Amino acid sequence: MNRNLEARPRYQVIKDFIYQAIRDRTYPAGACIPPENELAKQFSVSRMTANRAIKELVADGLLVRRQGLGTFVTRIQAESPLLEVRNIADEIRGRHHIYSNDLSLLDRVRVDDNLAGRLGIRVGDHAFHSLIVHKENGRPIQLEDRYVNATLVPDYPQQDFCQTTPNRYLSDLFPLSEIEHIVEAVLPNKQEQELLKISPTTPCLLVNRRTWSEGQLISCARLVHPGNLYRLSSRSSLA
Amino acid sequence: MNRNLEARPRYQVIKDFIYQAIRDRTYPAGACIPPENELAKQFSVSRMTANRAIKELVADGLLVRRQGLGTFVTRIQAESPLLEVRNIADEIRGRHHIYSNDLSLLDRVRVDDNLAGRLGIRVGDHAFHSLIVHKENGRPIQLEDRYVNATLVPDYPQQDFCQTTPNRYLSDLFPLSEIEHIVEAVLPNKQEQELLKISPTTPCLLVNRRTWSEGQLISCARLVHPGNLYRLSSRSSLA
DNA sequence: TGTCTATAATTGTATATACATTTAACGGAG
DNA sequence: CTCCGTTAAATGTATATACAATTATAGACA
């Protein structure tokens, strides 16, 4: 069990093997994969270890199990990587409209308890905070309220955000490896009403976006869009 | 280990206990829950069984673990569903809550110009129209306003929607090959206010979902969720 | 032919045990 | 006081084993 040189747990080796076999269609959609006992024998592990590998792949949605029957490759694959990392400026220019923005705030803050959780850093550490209004043909279309890990991105405040959006700057600097979106419907608070020039009863789409690079949480942003001006859309084919 | 009368696995009992304790703030966000050994002792199970319960709650996103430190209640709560073909009933049951629904309308209509476009059929053709309120612990959480291609699914009205949601019925019948989502923020209309029991100023997430099977448009649904009760969330790794 | 039954295969749950790894905290050496 | 090693606590990985539950199938029986 000396893993100093080996590093990979055995259940992970089995997961990788099955994952690969699904990807290259050795086990096509709907196919039955070898039973736990056989996997255990082939990889010289106990059944419990094979079981763990399979259970995790089931949790990931790649396999389904039926007691008494066997373990099968999921037919409906590939939930879409929804809500891509769209750059709002590119999106607007793609509509042949004019993009502009206002930087209405940029400072350095100590993170409180709540923010520390969202940014994955310790209470009291520093973060940069920027508040930018993105405009399409001069009309506010998105309010970007962003916190950035100051340790990882010390030069963040030196950027000229008229030229480069934070989104683009950060993703150029750090290769994006993971992204999270949480979408809800809200009413705007006072500040949001003013900056977006909307009424208190205009429903807004709130997108909470967090981005990681190599396991490091780089930034979290709160993107507020007036509901009548913006839609998220996705269409995906399922294998 | 005779479970004929008991039914619930022991790891499930522990999961439920912890889940409940998180909900009622016995373990508030960020708090440390008892270590595996202690849970095992308290519930008179082996450490592996306690471990299973905790691992599954981690997979569900309710807990995070740090080796050497302990197991903690996740700070960022309330991730709900992905923007995927989730069955609302399964989703609610996954939260250990009670699912129910009201079928408030079910009829056969001739499609008008607008609907014909959305359903991809000809004006004057028939479609079924259902209006269902989905409830979590008796509280309305989603209004499903659905149109179904009557030519392809002639038996749609014969279903018992208390047992099987339209979503599940349709996807069992037609293998899902393509899905489209358009998400926006809206205020509820009069009917929606009444059925969802919300005020006119409650912002709502409106998800327009259309599903195809083998190139055929099966159904389009308008899903309205009160904003304070529902979130869409997606997290994806980018290769 | 059709129906029931036993059986084998496979997954599901549970335990006891062992050792590895990570982290914080404590205490001593300098 | 700082640095460093030890230790205790907690999670992480792995095994061998046992029995339960579910399902299909093959064979017995009427």
Side-chain angles (χ1 to χ4, degrees):
Chain A
M1 214 169 301
N2 176 354
R3 218 174 306 99
N4 291 347
L5 305 167
E6 196 186 335
R8 300 178 70 66
R10 305 218 217 179
Y11 73 87
Q12 186 63 52
V13 173
I14 301 178
K15 279 183 72 173
D16 290 344
F17 168 79
I18 297 174
Y19 183 85
Q20 184 56 38
I22 292 173
R23 281 210 34 183
D24 68 18
R25 301 280 203 279
T26 304
Y27 303 134
C32 183
I33 72 164
E36 289 184 355
N37 278 319
E38 195 160 327
L39 285 172
K41 205 186 300 175
Q42 290 198 1
F43 286 88
S44 300
V45 298
S46 76
R47 187 188 144 212
M48 289 306 290
T49 300
N51 178 272
R52 173 169 183 176
I54 292 177
K55 261 202 306 201
E56 293 192 9
L57 288 169
V58 169
D60 293 344
L62 274 86
L63 300 174
V64 294
R65 311 195 84 178
R66 290 184 55 195
Q67 188 169 359
L69 291 187
T71 305
F72 306 88
V73 179
T74 307
R75 284 181 185 279
I76 299 171
Q77 216 62 284
E79 320 289 317
S80 61
L82 203 35
L83 304 170
E84 354 155 8
V85 209
R86 282 290 256 313
N87 184 310
I88 185 91
D90 291 346
E91 194 181 315
I92 289 170
R93 291 193 193 106
R95 288 196 282 263
H96 303 278
H97 287 182
I98 297 166
Y99 170 77
S100 60
N101 66 43
D102 293 338
L103 176 62
S104 78
L105 189 149
L106 176 59
D107 59 5
R108 186 158 171 272
V109 298
R110 279 183 181 278
V111 308
D112 61 12
D113 193 59
N114 177 24
L115 188 57
R118 281 170 64 204
L119 261 177
I121 59 182
R122 275 170 303 193
V123 177
D125 278 2
H126 287 280
F128 295 116
H129 179 207
S130 62
L131 198 60
I132 298 177
V133 180
H134 298 279
K135 300 193 282 189
E136 179 169 7
N137 292 336
R139 184 188 201 178
I141 193 180
Q142 180 188 89
L143 177 61
E144 173 189 324
D145 185 357
R146 183 183 293 273
Y147 288 89
V148 178
N149 188 325
T151 312
L152 293 173
V153 201
D155 296 334
Y156 183 72
Q158 271 72 57
Q159 296 314 303
D160 175 8
F161 292 119
C162 294
Q163 295 303 316
T164 314
T165 61
N167 195 334
R168 176 176 291 280
Y169 169 68
L170 292 170
S171 50
D172 283 352
L173 212 53
F174 297 94
L176 194 57
S177 59
E178 201 168 357
I179 186 162
E180 178 194 73
H181 287 104
I182 299 175
V183 180
E184 46 190 320
V186 299
L187 291 180
N189 64 29
K190 206 79 179 242
Q191 184 184 41
E192 290 160 356
Q193 292 165 33
E194 284 164 13
L195 290 171
L196 290 170
K197 301 191 198 315
I198 54 176
S199 82
T201 58
T202 303
C204 292
L205 263 193
L206 169 59
V207 178
N208 282 287
R209 173 189 288 170
R210 298 199 296 170
T211 48
W212 284 260
S213 182
E214 323 263 316
Q216 288 277 8
L217 210 171
I218 304 298
S219 161
C220 67
R222 227 170 139 271
L223 309 172
V224 183
H225 311 81
N228 50 345
L229 293 180
Y230 201 82
R231 292 173 164 187
L232 295 169
S233 105
S234 91
R235 181 156 172 181
S236 48
S237 296
L238 312 172
Chain B
M1 210 171 304
N2 178 357
R3 217 173 308 99
N4 291 348
L5 305 167
E6 195 184 335
R8 298 179 72 67
R10 304 219 216 175
Y11 73 88
Q12 187 63 50
V13 173
I14 302 178
K15 278 184 73 172
D16 290 345
F17 168 78
I18 297 174
Y19 184 85
Q20 185 54 40
I22 292 173
R23 282 216 33 188
D24 67 20
R25 301 282 202 278
T26 304
Y27 303 134
C32 184
I33 72 164
E36 289 183 355
N37 279 318
E38 196 159 325
L39 285 173
K41 205 186 298 175
Q42 290 199 3
F43 286 89
S44 301
V45 298
S46 76
R47 188 187 145 213
M48 289 306 290
T49 300
N51 177 271
R52 173 170 184 174
I54 292 177
K55 262 201 306 201
E56 293 191 8
L57 289 169
V58 169
D60 293 344
L62 276 87
L63 299 174
V64 292
R65 312 196 83 180
R66 291 183 54 196
Q67 187 169 357
L69 291 187
T71 304
F72 305 88
V73 179
T74 308
R75 283 179 186 278
I76 305 154
Q77 213 62 281
E79 320 271 315
S80 289
L82 228 25
L83 208 47
E84 61 185 83
V85 209
R86 256 324 231 317
N87 184 310
I88 185 93
D90 291 344
E91 191 184 316
I92 289 170
R93 292 193 193 106
R95 288 196 282 262
H96 307 270
H97 287 182
I98 297 166
Y99 170 78
S100 60
N101 65 42
D102 293 337
L103 176 62
S104 78
L105 189 150
L106 177 58
D107 59 4
R108 187 158 170 273
V109 298
R110 281 182 180 279
V111 307
D112 61 14
D113 193 55
N114 177 25
L115 188 58
R118 282 170 64 204
L119 262 178
I121 58 181
R122 276 170 303 191
V123 177
D125 278 2
H126 287 281
F128 295 117
H129 179 208
S130 62
L131 197 60
I132 298 177
V133 180
H134 298 279
K135 299 193 281 190
E136 178 168 9
N137 292 337
R139 183 187 201 181
I141 193 178
Q142 179 189 89
L143 177 61
E144 173 190 325
D145 184 359
R146 184 183 291 273
Y147 289 90
V148 177
N149 188 325
T151 313
L152 294 173
V153 200
D155 296 333
Y156 182 71
Q158 270 72 58
Q159 296 314 302
D160 175 8
F161 293 117
C162 295
Q163 295 303 316
T164 314
T165 62
N167 195 335
R168 176 175 290 279
Y169 170 68
L170 291 171
S171 51
D172 282 352
L173 213 53
F174 297 94
L176 196 54
S177 58
E178 201 169 356
I179 187 162
E180 178 194 73
H181 288 105
I182 299 176
V183 180
E184 46 190 320
V186 298
L187 291 179
N189 63 32
K190 204 78 178 237
Q191 184 185 41
E192 290 160 357
Q193 291 165 34
E194 283 166 13
L195 291 171
L196 291 170
K197 303 192 200 312
I198 54 177
S199 82
T201 59
T202 303
C204 292
L205 263 193
L206 168 59
V207 178
N208 282 287
R209 173 190 286 173
R210 297 199 296 172
T211 48
W212 285 259
S213 181
E214 323 266 316
Q216 288 276 10
L217 210 170
I218 303 300
S219 161
C220 67
R222 224 170 142 269
L223 309 172
V224 182
H225 312 81
N228 50 343
L229 293 180
Y230 201 81
R231 292 171 164 188
L232 294 170
S233 122
S234 93
R235 180 156 172 180
S236 46
S237 296
L238 313 172

